[in-house]
């Protein structure tokens, strides 16, 4: 999944982003509300982790703007104020969930994953294609009962292909959903990742390449 972290405390923002990347997520970081609106205008995010108390453009304004524009991203609002009134106000602005600071990182991850499931068409908890099984919750993929030693990016690409349910997924879509803003759109990263993934999946081959179109399982 792709996540935008909006937090004016840079050290906290980078710490959260690093942890989420270790969980296999593609993460972008901005430090203010104006930048958040700019990023969400050009990128499709599954979840926006939004600090409510932002300088300049307040988090409430960002949340309201996303809701008003019908942006598909789910909003997880963070705030140091944890009263019931604060939560009610935040949810009333269009936030999908609310997490008071300080928070346990494991809970943040669980809430992000729950919101991401709601931002996409309903999928089964475990993705299955023949003898291939992928469990997004445990981050485990197996083929013929054997666990596959996948890197986070390989896992992300495999999950995207399985979630497409036989539809073609372009290299651009894989790059958009599986990598962050620093990915070079002219890179061979997707092609290389697909090649490595094919080797790890073994025979018979599962990933089909459609010239000028993309990939599918």
């Amino acid at each position: 999944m792709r996540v935008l972290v909006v937090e004016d405390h840079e050290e906290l923002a980078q710490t959260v982003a690093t942890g989420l990347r270790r969980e296999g997520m593609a993460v972008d970081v901005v430090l203010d509300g104006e930048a958040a609106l700019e990023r969400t205008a050009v990128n499709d995010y599954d979840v926006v982790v939004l600090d409510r108390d932002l300088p300049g453009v307040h988090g409430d304004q960002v949340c309201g703007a996303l809701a008003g524009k019908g942006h598909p991203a789910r909003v997880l609002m963070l705030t140091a104020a944890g009263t019931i009134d604060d939560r009610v106000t935040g949810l009333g602005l269009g936030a999908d969930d609310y997490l008071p600071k300080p928070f346990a990182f494991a809970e943040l991850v669980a809430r992000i994953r729950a919101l991401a499931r709601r931002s996409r068409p309903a999928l089964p908890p475990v993705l299955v294609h023949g003898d291939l099984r992928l469990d997004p919750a445990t981050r485990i993929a197996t083929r013929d009962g054997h666990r596959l030693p996948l890197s986070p990016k390989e896992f992300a690409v495999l999950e995207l292909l399985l979630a497409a349910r036989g539809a073609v997924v372009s290299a651009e879509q894989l790059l958009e959903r599986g990598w962050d803003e620093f990915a070079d759109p002219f890179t061979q990263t997707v092609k290389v990742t697909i090649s490595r993934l094919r080797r790890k999946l073994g025979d018979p081959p599962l990933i089909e390449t459609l010239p000028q179109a993309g990939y599918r399982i």
Side-chain angles (χ1 to χ4, degrees):
M1 72 188 73
R2 189 165 183 183
V3 178
L4 177 65
V5 174
V6 189
E7 166 63 60
D8 66 314
H9 191 294
E10 186 169 5
E11 184 177 355
L12 174 59
Q14 295 299 339
T15 298
V16 168
T18 298
L20 295 180
R21 289 175 184 134
R22 288 173 180 164
E23 293 292 326
M25 304 179 196
V27 185
D28 296 339
V29 175
V30 295
L31 305 178
D32 59 70
E34 183 177 358
L37 292 175
E38 292 173 355
R39 295 296 176 82
T40 54
V42 297
N43 295 320
D44 289 331
Y45 294 100
D46 295 294
V47 178
V48 175
V49 179
L50 176 65
D51 180 28
R52 187 176 184 187
D53 304 308
L54 293 171
V57 180
H58 195 270
D60 288 356
Q61 294 173 270
V62 175
C63 186
L66 293 177
K69 295 175 182 177
H71 196 283
R74 301 292 181 174
V75 176
L76 173 57
M77 188 171 279
L78 306 176
T79 183
T83 67
I84 292 178
D85 286 344
D86 288 315
R87 298 181 191 183
V88 170
T89 300
L91 294 171
L93 290 166
D96 298 280
D97 200 357
Y98 203 99
L99 188 60
K101 298 177 182 178
F103 50 81
F105 184 74
E107 182 179 6
L108 175 66
V109 171
R111 287 175 181 264
I112 289 174
R113 286 185 173 152
L115 288 176
R117 288 194 296 270
R118 289 163 53 188
S119 72
R120 300 188 295 262
L123 291 171
V126 177
L127 302 176
V128 179
H129 180 87
D131 61 354
L132 176 64
R133 295 172 57 87
L134 182 146
D135 186 338
T138 61
R139 312 297 295 171
I140 292 175
T142 62
R143 187 170 191 192
D144 194 25
H146 301 288
R147 184 165 179 172
L148 301 172
L150 303 181
S151 71
K153 292 306 180 189
E154 291 162 356
F155 190 97
V157 168
L158 183 59
E159 183 178 1
L160 288 164
L161 291 174
L162 286 172
R165 298 177 174 179
V168 178
V169 184
S170 70
E172 291 77 13
Q173 289 172 315
L174 291 174
L175 193 65
E176 168 74 18
R177 307 303 297 170
W179 278 262
D180 60 27
E181 62 184 326
F182 298 108
D184 182 352
F186 302 104
T187 185
Q188 294 294 308
T189 296
V190 171
K191 185 177 180 180
V192 171
T193 302
I194 289 286
S195 178
R196 290 175 179 168
L197 184 55
R198 280 190 171 119
R199 288 198 297 270
K200 292 183 179 181
L201 289 173
D203 294 318
L206 290 177
I207 301 176
E208 179 184 4
T209 299
L210 288 84
Q212 310 303 317
Y215 308 92
R216 71 180 172 194
I217 290 180

